[in-house]
Amino acid sequence: MATSAMKAPKGAIHEALKAVKIAVVGTGNVGSSTAYGLLLGGLAAEIVLVDINKPRAEGEAMDLSHASPFSHATRVRAGGYQDCAGASVVVIAAGINQKPGQSRMDLVHANVAIFKTIIPEIVRYAPDTILLVATNPVDILTYVTWKLSGFPTHRVIGSGTALDTARFRFEIGRYYGVNPESVHADIIGEHGDTELPVWSLSSISGMHLPDYCRHAGIQYDQKALTTCFTNTKNAAYEIIKRKGWTNYGVATALTRIVETILRDEDTLLPVSMVGKFAGVEGVALSVPCKVTRLGVFHTFTLKLSPEEESELRMSAESLKLVLKQVEPHLTQGLGL
């Protein structure tokens, strides 16, 4: 865990960003949108795009470079794995995308095979970086990335339920007619079908939802709130059904996670990391974790209701079952 002696002075962080390199591996819709968010945020001096389709990476780099005069003096270029060297963060968005009618878990075997080729190459050239995984199923691939990289758990982060939590707060805010920034409500567990809302700790401006309703003269309607969660859980399916993919929401979540790391914010975010959750050890899933310049740290345990604790355990156990199928394949062909 980070200590004050290990942290850079906050006043020095802005200057430090001028020397930062970020690599994005995979320049499809999510990777390119993330690079765009990083550019607009002025979070790096250099952004390197890596893709097996080199012309695609070159085209995205050219297009993004033409946006830099309107935003920040960031160098954007295409490169290979060797160009990940010196990157503070490597965002991994490579892999097969979810198609209409598919669950995230349908992508497991194809994307594990892809990660077996790319993770060792990234680690070879960037042994000190922080790895940020976006590819689905993100919790499984966060674990796979940790296993293949040999990194400590705090340097492997999955985007997890950061986006689900944003969607959840948007839905609750829309229902109550308040700005989502005033809503504090988390989605935890798997980024997928077994995720769960933490109703017992959800609040608006510090008031639990039933208390808020009472003070605002609004009837508390759990059925309507359950619809908010259903809309959250099904959001990706609905978006993919209409446009074929999701990109802006997850790219913004990834940009926010990178910003939190580079600015050493100590922000609590629901991101995926490897650990022990609800008594289930050796899985990656999301609970609020502290994100710092050193990586991600599980610094406290949520006080969940018995029902929520049980649901979190079920989510962890469902991921563990998938990992039991994946684990035997991780060392094949790697000389490990």
Side-chain angles (χ1 to χ4, degrees), residues 246-261:
T246 64
N247 58 310
Y248 299 123
V250 66
T252 305
L254 291 164
T255 301
R256 181 70 184 101
I257 295 166
V258 172
E259 180 182 36
T260 302
I261 294 167

Side-chain angles (χ1 to χ4, degrees), residues 153-301:
T153 56
H154 69 270
R155 286 205 285 129
V156 180
I157 308 172
S159 56
T161 57
L163 175 56
D164 307 84
T165 293
R167 289 168 171 163
F168 191 45
R169 294 177 182 184
F170 169 81
E171 290 288 341
I172 292 175
R174 180 168 63 175
Y175 173 69
Y176 283 118
V178 300
N179 191 314
E181 291 186 358
S182 299
V183 178
H184 298 277
D186 289 322
I187 300 293
I188 62 173
E190 176 199 1
H191 172 56
D193 294 337
T194 67
E195 66 187 34
L196 61 136
V198 186
W199 291 119
S200 65
L201 300 176
S202 298
S203 65
I204 296 176
S205 293
M207 291 180 282
H208 288 116
L209 298 183
D211 295 331
Y212 174 81
C213 289
R214 185 169 61 254
H215 286 286
I218 303 170
Q219 181 180 0
Y220 179 76
D221 187 344
Q222 184 60 54
K223 184 177 179 180
L225 290 173
T226 299
T227 299
C228 290
F229 170 61
T230 301
N231 291 342
T232 297
K233 187 166 71 170
N234 294 336
Y237 297 121
E238 294 299 324
I239 294 168
I240 290 169
K241 183 167 69 176
R242 288 163 172 80
K243 62 176 274 190
W245 60 83
T246 64
N247 58 310
Y248 299 123
V250 66
T252 305
L254 291 164
T255 301
R256 181 70 184 101
I257 295 166
V258 172
E259 180 182 36
T260 302
I261 294 167
L262 298 180
R263 296 189 186 280
D264 202 18
E265 291 184 4
D266 293 338
T267 299
L268 296 175
L269 294 174
V271 292
S272 188
M273 71 174 296
V274 177
K276 181 179 180 180
F277 304 95
V280 181
E281 195 162 5
V283 294
L285 55 71
S286 292
V287 294
C289 296
K290 181 182 284 190
V291 181
T292 78
R293 184 63 185 83
L294 299 178
V296 61
F297 299 90
H298 186 198
T299 57
F300 67 97
T301 300

Side-chain angles (χ1 to χ4, degrees), residues 16 38 53 57 64 66-67 109-110 145 193-194 235 238 254 258 286 327-328 333:
L38 296 170
N53 183 344
L64 287 164
H66 299 159
H109 295 294
T145 298
D193 294 337
T194 67
E238 294 299 324
L254 291 164
V258 172
S286 292
E327 190 96 38

